[in-house]
Amino acid sequence: MKCANKEDFEWLTKNPKILEANVTLCRVIDDMATYEVEKGRGQIATGIECYMRDYGVSTEEAMEKFQEMTEIAWKDVNEVILRPTHVSTKILTHILNLARIIDVTYKHNQDGYTHPEKVLKPHIIALLVDSVEI
C-alpha cells in the first residue's frame, strides 16, 4: 500500500462522499444510542429531539429516520470503498475503520463509550484473550 499524498487529499476534498457518510454514521449512531440517557439528564438539544421538533414526529419515527440515515451512510461508505480509485487504500481503510469502531461501540443502541465494560469488554476479551490460534 502506498502512503497518503497530496493527490489523495485533493481527491477526498473534491469527492467527500465517504467523509460525509462517516460523519453521518458517527453522529447518528451516537445520537440513537445515547438518546435515552441524555433525555434522562435533561438534555434537550439532542439530534433526536431536534429532529422531532423540526419535523413534528414521535420518538419512534425519529429513530426510524436516523436508522434509515445510518443505512444510507453505510451504503455510501461501501460504494466508495468498493469502487476502483487512485486514492490510497490505506487512507480509505482508515476511514472505513472509524465507521467500524463507531458501529461496534454503539451496537444495538448501547453506549459502549460510556459503559465499555458492557459493550466493548467482550470484544476485547474475544480478540486478545480468547483469540483463535493459527
Side-chain angles (χ1 to χ4, degrees), residues 48-96:
I48 300 288
E49 289 289 335
C50 290
Y51 189 87
M52 290 167 49
R53 185 193 65 228
D54 290 351
Y55 294 97
V57 297
S58 67
T59 304
E60 293 77 24
E61 291 171 308
M63 288 290 199
E64 287 175 14
K65 181 60 179 179
F66 274 50
Q67 183 60 42
E68 180 184 318
M69 289 189 291
T70 300
E71 291 169 8
I72 291 168
W74 267 118
K75 287 177 184 177
D76 290 345
V77 168
N78 289 328
E79 177 185 332
V80 174
I81 292 292
L82 295 173
R83 181 182 299 143
T85 180
H86 72 279
V87 175
S88 167
T89 306
K90 191 172 187 176
I91 289 178
L92 295 177
T93 301
H94 286 305
I95 295 169
L96 175 61

Side-chain angles (χ1 to χ4, degrees), residues 103-129:
D103 190 54
V104 168
T105 303
Y106 295 103
K107 198 68 160 176
H108 306 296
N109 288 339
Q110 295 182 9
D111 186 357
Y113 182 79
T114 304
H115 305 288
E117 67 282 353
K118 293 179 185 175
V119 180
L120 298 178
K121 185 177 180 180
H123 292 289
I124 294 168
I125 289 172
L127 178 66
L128 301 175
V129 178

